[in-house]
Amino acid sequence: MIGTFKIDQAATFGSVHLMSVEPKTAFKSDDQECLKDGTPKWQAKVAVTYTVFGRNESEILNVNLASRNDPGEGVPPFSPVILEGLEVNVSEKKDRDNKIIPGIQQWYRADAIKPAASPTSGGRSKASAEA
């Protein structure tokens, strides 16, 4: 099972909240990594909730993005977000000598971060309905 898989965020997660976005730095360096065309790489930390065997679970995911500007700019921390083009890459685990070892490794990537619509948007609050 090796490859990249598209994720239907709404069907997979109960909620996704942005925690932070920071430049993705090169290994053992403070220099920001870039794509071959010079586009800077970023890493967003998002808190997700989901259900497994009827139990609610949550965790923090690191999601890689490439953008000329900070992809989290204008999105306040702890805001619900949509990760456009979200995908997970699954590959064999390898050691530093590039030898395959038991297990898999996965990482997440998205095209953009967008604020999610407020769950109460478009509706009337209970207080206004009673007025």
Side-chain angles (χ1 to χ4, degrees), residues 13 15-20 43-50 57-63 78 106 108:
F13 302 115
S15 66
V16 178
H17 288 81
L18 180 66
M19 306 306 286
S20 66
Q43 188 168 72
K45 291 192 184 305
V46 295
V48 299
T49 61
Y50 53 94
E57 299 287 339
S58 62
E59 65 181 278
I60 304 292
L61 301 181
N62 292 319
V63 179
F78 312 111
Q106 64 190 29
Y108 298 89

Side-chain angles (χ1 to χ4, degrees), residues 4-7 63 85-89 107-111:
T4 301
F5 304 92
K6 299 291 183 187
I7 297 175
V63 179
L86 181 61
E87 58 189 35
V88 62
N89 186 290
W107 61 94
Y108 298 89
R109 195 199 72 72
D111 296 325

Side-chain angles (χ1 to χ4, degrees), residues 36 52 57-58 127 130:
K36 290 179 183 177
V52 178
E57 299 287 339
S58 62
E130 292 173 355

Side-chain angles (χ1 to χ4, degrees), residues 55-75:
R55 293 185 315 177
N56 292 327
E57 299 287 339
S58 62
E59 65 181 278
I60 304 292
L61 301 181
N62 292 319
V63 179
N64 297 318
L65 300 105
S67 175
R68 296 277 177 206
N69 302 312
D70 179 346
E73 186 176 335
V75 182

